Amino acid sequence: MVKMAPSVLSADFAQLAEQIRIVEEAGADWIHLDVMDGHYVPNLTFGPLVISGIRKITHLPLDAHLMIENADLHLPAFHQAGVDQLTVHVEACPHLWATIDKIHDLDLKAGVTLNPATPLSLIEPVLSRVELVLVMTVEPGFGGQRFIPDMVEKIAALDAYKKKNDLRFEIQVDGGIDETTAPRVVRAGATVLVAGSSIFGEPDIAAAFHRIKKAAETSLLKMA
Ligand code: DX5
Ligand code: ZN
């Protein structure tokens, strides 16, 4: 079973409660929250204040993707806002081991992310300590970018490492996921799909959600 984590980055924030309700009813597993600080990535989005509002309108796990500098400083505020898991960028966390400890000390699940140009070897030392690895399939910062096909090989290498070492982390993929790319990444080993514009950018949000999920699951069935 592939998990679906719609990213509200492409939602209409004037209708956020309604749009989250639609994906929740459609069967979303997590809500993906893209936190950007205008430093680590050029874009600015939202932080703990907005997330605490989102916490009130859904029971789904809140999956926060932190594209920020000095993440350690802000971890308690995200915990306070009600997130369930925090994913940090290896490139922005010089003391990654300690950051993962801090996330776990808050009783949250910890994830680590790789940009397209970052090799897997950089996170190997922490792979036995995280609940999630996020493979970026676009450069972080904006929704609606084109999927980078070379990342399929990275996902497959990560999945091979996971199996070889009998590890349990989720493999999440983020960027340019739609009904065409979803089957490619799940066949390579992705277990959680983030999708923003291909869900919230469509006139029928629920139908778009179902199309992507079905495409992913059908391709897995064909493999079995
Ligand atoms: C980009 C974000 C993504 C974004 C994906 O930095 O991490 O989660 O919402 O958007 P789409 O699905 O439109 O590529
Ligand atoms: Zn994201």
Side-chain angles (χ1 to χ4, degrees):
M1 262 286 272
V2 183
K3 291 189 177 76
M4 297 286 288
S7 162
V8 297
L9 187 62
S10 296
D12 176 352
F13 272 64
Q15 302 182 57
L16 192 57
E18 170 62 8
Q19 297 201 342
I20 288 180
R21 190 192 60 75
I22 293 171
V23 291
E24 189 163 352
E25 270 180 19
D29 297 278
W30 304 343
I31 298 296
H32 185 80
L33 302 168
D34 288 302
V35 178
M36 306 186 190
D37 67 353
H39 291 273
Y40 176 61
V41 289
N43 200 2
L44 275 168
T45 57
F46 49 80
L49 182 67
V50 170
I51 294 177
S52 63
I54 294 175
R55 179 68 292 168
K56 292 185 193 141
I57 58 176
T58 179
H59 296 296
L60 290 177
L62 297 181
D63 165 41
H65 174 191
L66 302 186
M67 288 159 272
I68 62 175
E69 288 176 6
N70 299 317
D72 286 15
L73 279 181
H74 302 286
L75 301 176
F78 286 106
H79 171 252
Q80 195 83 31
V83 303
D84 296 273
Q85 46 199 42
L86 287 169
T87 298
V88 295
H89 271 261
V90 59
E91 306 88 351
C93 287
H95 309 294
L96 188 58
W97 195 278
T99 302
I100 291 167
D101 278 347
K102 286 181 182 141
I103 296 172
H104 284 156
D105 287 347
L106 292 165
D107 264 335
L108 300 175
K109 291 185 177 161
V112 64
T113 309
L114 292 169
N115 280 334
T118 307
L120 265 188
S121 56
L122 213 58
I123 57 164
E124 270 182 24
V126 299
L127 285 177
S128 62
R129 310 185 64 236
V130 292
E131 285 72 41
L132 178 146
V133 178
L134 169 52
V135 179
M136 291 304 300
T137 39
V138 296
E139 287 289 0
F142 300 93
Q145 301 181 75
R146 194 187 295 249
F147 177 83
I148 303 173
D150 303 52
M151 295 304 113
V152 173
E153 214 174 294
K154 193 194 264 185
I155 297 162
L158 179 62
D159 186 50
Y161 183 98
K162 173 179 160 178
K163 289 186 171 131
K164 184 170 165 229
N165 294 282
D166 197 24
L167 296 172
R168 300 268 175 263
F169 54 79
E170 301 275 9
I171 300 180
Q172 186 178 49
V173 177
D174 186 3
I177 297 299
D178 58 20
E179 59 197 293
T180 312
T181 53
R184 296 166 67 184
V185 300
V186 296
R187 280 198 299 266
T191 60
V192 188
L193 300 178
V194 175
S197 52
S198 61
I199 294 179
F200 292 108
E202 291 293 311
D204 187 336
I205 291 171
F209 176 95
H210 289 302
R211 275 198 304 272
I212 299 169
K213 187 172 165 78
K214 190 168 175 219
E217 289 184 342
T218 308
S219 77
L220 278 184
L221 281 177
K222 280 188 192 148
M223 273 174 84

